[in-house]
Amino acid sequence: MTISRRGFLIALPLFVAGCSSTGLNSQTNYAALPDEKFPLKQVPIDKIKPELRRQEVAYESAHAPGTIVIDTPARRAYYVLGGNRAMRYGVGVGREGLAFAGNAYIGRKAEWPSWTPTENMQRREERYRRLAGGMPGGPNNPLGARAMYLYRGGSDTHFRIHGTNQPESIGLAMSSGCIRMMNHDVIDLYERVEVGARVVVVQA
């Protein structure tokens, strides 16, 4: 099939608009959030690898809608929407994240949570011992803007899905930490997920 020069020129703006709308939608996902307790700046979309950006994707799964699936080796998290669709997020993992596998559920959620280093961390380094009483939530807190706490059988597993003040760690395996997400993404997931929701953590 051929297309005339006139037809091409008419169609070109629509084609360009279609391309730019995808970029626009992606940037909207990471726009400034001035109404947060600790306002978040816009994250330039070119600073986030395309494969790590939040997006709805095709996802065949036997899991019920509302389930969170953490694919640790792929550094991805999926919130199952149903109808073979899911919201996909890029994540970072750490030593605790690599040690956790199987089923859990969201036992509680917190906005701009406080953080207390684990006993092991306090034993290893003096700087963590100084935080034995806990670190208040805020932009310097390693749990970021939101945290979802994973439980089994009524007990806290000490495994969290949380935001981060180190967005460059997304897509990587860091030396410490659980499952970390960009603050904009963890806010989005937090709003979707209910306390009691099932979480499935897949390891290699």
Side-chain angles (χ1 to χ4, degrees), residues 112-193:
W112 293 101
S114 61
W115 173 69
T116 302
T118 65
E119 292 182 1
N120 284 338
M121 294 173 76
Q122 292 180 42
R123 280 194 292 267
R124 284 199 307 266
E125 297 186 46
E126 182 182 353
R127 63 183 175 126
Y128 291 132
R129 289 194 288 275
R130 293 198 296 268
L131 295 172
M135 180 181 186
N140 296 320
N141 190 299
L143 293 186
R146 303 287 189 274
M148 287 154 275
Y149 299 78
L150 273 59
Y151 281 58
R152 280 177 175 164
S155 299
D156 188 353
T157 64
H158 301 289
F159 182 83
R160 286 87 172 89
I161 301 170
H162 62 82
T164 182
N165 54 17
Q166 296 179 302
E168 67 278 4
S169 68
I170 302 303
L172 303 177
M174 305 294 284
S175 60
S176 62
C178 297
I179 295 297
R180 57 179 68 183
M181 305 174 69
M182 292 191 63
N183 280 326
H184 285 71
D185 288 345
V186 81
I187 290 172
D188 181 84
L189 180 60
Y190 183 97
E191 294 299 322
R192 295 174 187 275
V193 73

Side-chain angles (χ1 to χ4, degrees), residues 80-96:
V80 179
L81 299 170
N84 293 326
R85 305 292 294 178
M87 189 63 67
R88 188 185 72 192
Y89 308 85
V91 302
V93 301
R95 184 163 52 242
E96 288 86 349

Side-chain angles (χ1 to χ4, degrees), residues 31-36 38-43 112 139 145 183-184 187:
L33 299 175
D35 295 330
E36 280 288 314
F38 300 96
L40 294 173
K41 296 179 180 179
Q42 173 179 292
V43 179
W112 293 101
N183 280 326
H184 285 71
I187 290 172

